[in-house]
Amino acid sequence: MQFRDEIPTPALLLDLDAFEFNVARMAGHLRERGKAFRPHGKTHKCPEVARALIGAGAVGVCAARLSEAEVFSAHGIGGLLVTTAVVGRLKIGRAVALASRAPDTTFCVDDAANVREINDAAGGRGEPIRVAVDLYFGRTGIPPGAPALELVRVINSLPHVRFVGLQAYDGQAAHTTPFDARGVRTRASIEQAVETRRMIEQDGTECPLVTGGSTGTYRFDSEIDGMTELQPGSFVFMDLDYERIGGHEGPEYRDFKNALTVMTTVVSRPPGFAIVDGGYKAFSTDRPFTPRPVDLDGIAYGWAGDEHGRLNLEHATREIAVGDRIQFIPPHCDPTVNLYDRMHAMRGDRVEAVWPIAARGMSQ
């Protein structure tokens, strides 16, 4: 049996009690409102996390990339939705192979030429490949309404692809502040998706799936008629970025608990500072704020290179010594997870399991 103080650092730790609380809260909220639940695997990249989510009622897992979906499928995870278009002959060939092994996999599309390429590549297999039309709300996708309907008609004209619904993901809505403005933004996007669904069905094509939403918008999205499923991701772990977006109860977002931390060790103690063994290679650096120590008031983290962080102890409320273990909440959970091969699943101070982050680095 391994304990917290025996884990080599820097290390990624998952508080199982907080994680299980987060999963139960999101799953229960969506179940009560009759919405399906397909959480995003780009956050955790971990088959064991995916299994826990499916055990809580998720219908499958979203994957940001084809390579992520391939890893999840190889570990027996079904109900995959690849949320980014698969473009190019080699990737399309891999997508067809994945669909042959896992026929319930769905691929998002937003371009007629790409759809035709997928159709042509799938010509040798029996069952048509499932495709969902990705709607544009600021990043990828085709505009809602008539353009999306025309793409559905193209899909319907081809024998080896089958239209199954719409992806309506508005990434900018997830972090819109304050809380009420976030609701206005996401409702406007999802209502366009629901209207597009109505147009498609009036045109004679069934549209059983409207998927989208996020950890930041789930309260609003789950109340919208016509939205069939949500694909939140960060709720399983949480991070400082989400904490800052504000919630229904105040300026901090507190719907879910911080379950993910990075544990470091103090390796040097120059006057006024402590140096820990966690730097750029231990935390994602894509946010303007730095990691926050857990239960250590008055200590500010600063970057000190690839391997190290510098803790300003000027206002520290207790003494810090070489060998001390210090845990930090990461600024952004998704890319921080992608820096590690494994996460230590903790029950209190005991390591209950070590879960491989099997899709780490799978960005192709």
Side-chain angles (χ1 to χ4, degrees), residues 7-10 263-268 275-278 321-326:
I7 302 171
T9 60
M263 185 169 67
T264 67
T265 300
V266 176
V267 295
S268 184
I275 302 298
V276 296
D277 59 355
V322 170
D324 285 355
R325 298 295 186 98
I326 299 178

PDB file of all heavy atoms in Angstrom, residues 7-10 263-268 275-278 321-326:
ATOM      1  N   ILE A   7       4.768   9.175  -2.791  1.00  0.00           N
ATOM      2  CA  ILE A   7       4.629   9.348  -4.240  1.00  0.00           C
ATOM      3  C   ILE A   7       5.751  10.246  -4.744  1.00  0.00           C
ATOM      4  O   ILE A   7       5.948  11.353  -4.239  1.00  0.00           O
ATOM      5  CB  ILE A   7       3.264   9.978  -4.582  1.00  0.00           C
ATOM      6  CG1 ILE A   7       2.120   9.117  -4.056  1.00  0.00           C
ATOM      7  CG2 ILE A   7       3.134  10.180  -6.087  1.00  0.00           C
ATOM      8  CD1 ILE A   7       0.763   9.795  -4.159  1.00  0.00           C
ATOM      9  N   PRO A   8       6.514   9.816  -5.762  1.00  0.00           N
ATOM     10  CA  PRO A   8       7.531  10.700  -6.349  1.00  0.00           C
ATOM     11  C   PRO A   8       6.864  11.929  -6.972  1.00  0.00           C
ATOM     12  O   PRO A   8       5.787  11.830  -7.580  1.00  0.00           O
ATOM     13  CB  PRO A   8       8.194   9.829  -7.417  1.00  0.00           C
ATOM     14  CG  PRO A   8       7.865   8.425  -7.044  1.00  0.00           C
ATOM     15  CD  PRO A   8       6.529   8.481  -6.385  1.00  0.00           C
ATOM     16  N   THR A   9       7.479  13.082  -6.814  1.00  0.00           N
ATOM     17  CA  THR A   9       6.912  14.332  -7.321  1.00  0.00           C
ATOM     18  C   THR A   9       7.775  14.905  -8.439  1.00  0.00           C
ATOM     19  O   THR A   9       8.959  14.570  -8.556  1.00  0.00           O
ATOM     20  CB  THR A   9       6.806  15.363  -6.176  1.00  0.00           C
ATOM     21  OG1 THR A   9       8.108  15.615  -5.653  1.00  0.00           O
ATOM     22  CG2 THR A   9       5.897  14.871  -5.083  1.00  0.00           C
ATOM     23  N   PRO A  10       7.168  15.781  -9.278  1.00  0.00           N
ATOM     24  CA  PRO A  10       5.761  16.217  -9.232  1.00  0.00           C
ATOM     25  C   PRO A  10       4.823  15.096  -9.673  1.00  0.00           C
ATOM     26  O   PRO A  10       5.186  14.264 -10.511  1.00  0.00           O
ATOM     27  CB  PRO A  10       5.726  17.398 -10.203  1.00  0.00           C
ATOM     28  CG  PRO A  10       6.858  17.152 -11.141  1.00  0.00           C
ATOM     29  CD  PRO A  10       7.919  16.476 -10.352  1.00  0.00           C
ATOM     30  N   MET A 263       1.000  17.618  -6.858  1.00  0.00           N
ATOM     31  CA  MET A 263       1.805  17.617  -5.639  1.00  0.00           C
ATOM     32  C   MET A 263       3.281  17.803  -5.986  1.00  0.00           C
ATOM     33  O   MET A 263       3.801  17.171  -6.903  1.00  0.00           O
ATOM     34  CB  MET A 263       1.619  16.320  -4.859  1.00  0.00           C
ATOM     35  CG  MET A 263       2.350  16.325  -3.520  1.00  0.00           C
ATOM     36  SD  MET A 263       1.893  14.938  -2.458  1.00  0.00           S
ATOM     37  CE  MET A 263       2.555  13.569  -3.401  1.00  0.00           C
ATOM     38  N   THR A 264       3.918  18.692  -5.237  1.00  0.00           N
ATOM     39  CA  THR A 264       5.336  18.985  -5.427  1.00  0.00           C
ATOM     40  C   THR A 264       6.069  18.811  -4.104  1.00  0.00           C
ATOM     41  O   THR A 264       5.456  18.663  -3.044  1.00  0.00           O
ATOM     42  CB  THR A 264       5.542  20.423  -5.926  1.00  0.00           C
ATOM     43  OG1 THR A 264       5.156  21.336  -4.876  1.00  0.00           O
ATOM     44  CG2 THR A 264       4.724  20.716  -7.174  1.00  0.00           C
ATOM     45  N   THR A 265       7.403  18.863  -4.179  1.00  0.00           N
ATOM     46  CA  THR A 265       8.252  18.803  -2.992  1.00  0.00           C
ATOM     47  C   THR A 265       9.129  20.050  -2.935  1.00  0.00           C
ATOM     48  O   THR A 265       9.655  20.493  -3.965  1.00  0.00           O
ATOM     49  CB  THR A 265       9.151  17.554  -3.034  1.00  0.00           C
ATOM     50  OG1 THR A 265       8.325  16.379  -3.083  1.00  0.00           O
ATOM     51  CG2 THR A 265      10.040  17.477  -1.810  1.00  0.00           C
ATOM     52  N   VAL A 266       9.283  20.613  -1.747  1.00  0.00           N
ATOM     53  CA  VAL A 266      10.228  21.716  -1.554  1.00  0.00           C
ATOM     54  C   VAL A 266      11.642  21.140  -1.639  1.00  0.00           C
ATOM     55  O   VAL A 266      12.018  20.265  -0.849  1.00  0.00           O
ATOM     56  CB  VAL A 266      10.008  22.415  -0.203  1.00  0.00           C
ATOM     57  CG1 VAL A 266      11.066  23.497   0.007  1.00  0.00           C
ATOM     58  CG2 VAL A 266       8.607  23.016  -0.139  1.00  0.00           C
ATOM     59  N   VAL A 267      12.427  21.609  -2.606  1.00  0.00           N
ATOM     60  CA  VAL A 267      13.763  21.062  -2.831  1.00  0.00           C
ATOM     61  C   VAL A 267      14.870  22.031  -2.432  1.00  0.00           C
ATOM     62  O   VAL A 267      16.044  21.642  -2.374  1.00  0.00           O
ATOM     63  CB  VAL A 267      13.942  20.641  -4.312  1.00  0.00           C
ATOM     64  CG1 VAL A 267      13.005  19.489  -4.650  1.00  0.00           C
ATOM     65  CG2 VAL A 267      13.705  21.817  -5.255  1.00  0.00           C
ATOM     66  N   SER A 268      14.523  23.288  -2.153  1.00  0.00           N
ATOM     67  CA  SER A 268      15.528  24.265  -1.727  1.00  0.00           C
ATOM     68  C   SER A 268      14.817  25.371  -0.966  1.00  0.00           C
ATOM     69  O   SER A 268      13.630  25.642  -1.202  1.00  0.00           O
ATOM     70  CB  SER A 268      16.280  24.839  -2.931  1.00  0.00           C
ATOM     71  OG  SER A 268      17.320  25.709  -2.536  1.00  0.00           O
ATOM     72  N   ILE A 275      11.746  26.726  -3.121  1.00  0.00           N
ATOM     73  CA  ILE A 275      11.746  26.235  -4.493  1.00  0.00           C
ATOM     74  C   ILE A 275      11.147  24.835  -4.499  1.00  0.00           C
ATOM     75  O   ILE A 275      11.610  23.947  -3.766  1.00  0.00           O
ATOM     76  CB  ILE A 275      13.172  26.201  -5.083  1.00  0.00           C
ATOM     77  CG1 ILE A 275      13.799  27.598  -5.050  1.00  0.00           C
ATOM     78  CG2 ILE A 275      13.141  25.658  -6.513  1.00  0.00           C
ATOM     79  CD1 ILE A 275      13.073  28.636  -5.873  1.00  0.00           C
ATOM     80  N   VAL A 276      10.110  24.649  -5.312  1.00  0.00           N
ATOM     81  CA  VAL A 276       9.479  23.337  -5.454  1.00  0.00           C
ATOM     82  C   VAL A 276       9.855  22.733  -6.805  1.00  0.00           C
ATOM     83  O   VAL A 276      10.290  23.442  -7.722  1.00  0.00           O
ATOM     84  CB  VAL A 276       7.945  23.427  -5.315  1.00  0.00           C
ATOM     85  CG1 VAL A 276       7.553  23.887  -3.924  1.00  0.00           C
ATOM     86  CG2 VAL A 276       7.342  24.343  -6.377  1.00  0.00           C
ATOM     87  N   ASP A 277       9.667  21.418  -6.923  1.00  0.00           N
ATOM     88  CA  ASP A 277      10.082  20.707  -8.133  1.00  0.00           C
ATOM     89  C   ASP A 277       8.986  20.648  -9.194  1.00  0.00           C
ATOM     90  O   ASP A 277       8.912  19.701  -9.970  1.00  0.00           O
ATOM     91  CB  ASP A 277      10.573  19.300  -7.781  1.00  0.00           C
ATOM     92  CG  ASP A 277       9.510  18.463  -7.078  1.00  0.00           C
ATOM     93  OD1 ASP A 277       8.416  18.988  -6.773  1.00  0.00           O
ATOM     94  OD2 ASP A 277       9.788  17.279  -6.796  1.00  0.00           O
ATOM     95  N   GLY A 278       8.151  21.669  -9.252  1.00  0.00           N
ATOM     96  CA  GLY A 278       7.107  21.749 -10.267  1.00  0.00           C
ATOM     97  C   GLY A 278       7.145  23.075 -10.996  1.00  0.00           C
ATOM     98  O   GLY A 278       6.894  24.122 -10.385  1.00  0.00           O
ATOM     99  N   ALA A 321       9.808  24.058   4.969  1.00  0.00           N
ATOM    100  CA  ALA A 321      11.138  23.472   5.046  1.00  0.00           C
ATOM    101  C   ALA A 321      11.389  22.562   3.848  1.00  0.00           C
ATOM    102  O   ALA A 321      10.444  22.083   3.194  1.00  0.00           O
ATOM    103  CB  ALA A 321      11.294  22.677   6.345  1.00  0.00           C
ATOM    104  N   VAL A 322      12.646  22.319   3.554  1.00  0.00           N
ATOM    105  CA  VAL A 322      13.027  21.364   2.518  1.00  0.00           C
ATOM    106  C   VAL A 322      12.412  19.999   2.848  1.00  0.00           C
ATOM    107  O   VAL A 322      12.455  19.534   3.995  1.00  0.00           O
ATOM    108  CB  VAL A 322      14.559  21.253   2.418  1.00  0.00           C
ATOM    109  CG1 VAL A 322      14.956  20.086   1.520  1.00  0.00           C
ATOM    110  CG2 VAL A 322      15.150  22.549   1.878  1.00  0.00           C
ATOM    111  N   GLY A 323      11.814  19.381   1.847  1.00  0.00           N
ATOM    112  CA  GLY A 323      11.151  18.096   2.025  1.00  0.00           C
ATOM    113  C   GLY A 323       9.658  18.191   2.211  1.00  0.00           C
ATOM    114  O   GLY A 323       8.955  17.170   2.108  1.00  0.00           O
ATOM    115  N   ASP A 324       9.125  19.379   2.489  1.00  0.00           N
ATOM    116  CA  ASP A 324       7.673  19.533   2.623  1.00  0.00           C
ATOM    117  C   ASP A 324       6.976  19.213   1.307  1.00  0.00           C
ATOM    118  O   ASP A 324       7.462  19.560   0.226  1.00  0.00           O
ATOM    119  CB  ASP A 324       7.314  20.960   3.045  1.00  0.00           C
ATOM    120  CG  ASP A 324       7.610  21.234   4.510  1.00  0.00           C
ATOM    121  OD1 ASP A 324       7.999  20.294   5.226  1.00  0.00           O
ATOM    122  OD2 ASP A 324       7.452  22.401   4.931  1.00  0.00           O
ATOM    123  N   ARG A 325       5.835  18.580   1.409  1.00  0.00           N
ATOM    124  CA  ARG A 325       4.987  18.316   0.241  1.00  0.00           C
ATOM    125  C   ARG A 325       3.932  19.416   0.155  1.00  0.00           C
ATOM    126  O   ARG A 325       3.249  19.702   1.148  1.00  0.00           O
ATOM    127  CB  ARG A 325       4.302  16.954   0.356  1.00  0.00           C
ATOM    128  CG  ARG A 325       5.268  15.759   0.416  1.00  0.00           C
ATOM    129  CD  ARG A 325       6.037  15.632  -0.891  1.00  0.00           C
ATOM    130  NE  ARG A 325       6.855  14.435  -0.938  1.00  0.00           N
ATOM    131  CZ  ARG A 325       6.501  13.300  -1.545  1.00  0.00           C
ATOM    132  NH1 ARG A 325       5.310  13.196  -2.123  1.00  0.00           N
ATOM    133  NH2 ARG A 325       7.314  12.279  -1.575  1.00  0.00           N
ATOM    134  N   ILE A 326       3.792  20.015  -1.034  1.00  0.00           N
ATOM    135  CA  ILE A 326       2.805  21.073  -1.238  1.00  0.00           C
ATOM    136  C   ILE A 326       1.991  20.743  -2.479  1.00  0.00           C
ATOM    137  O   ILE A 326       2.545  20.470  -3.549  1.00  0.00           O
ATOM    138  CB  ILE A 326       3.483  22.450  -1.392  1.00  0.00           C
ATOM    139  CG1 ILE A 326       4.280  22.785  -0.120  1.00  0.00           C
ATOM    140  CG2 ILE A 326       2.442  23.533  -1.668  1.00  0.00           C
ATOM    141  CD1 ILE A 326       5.024  24.109  -0.198  1.00  0.00           C
TER     142      ILE A 326
END
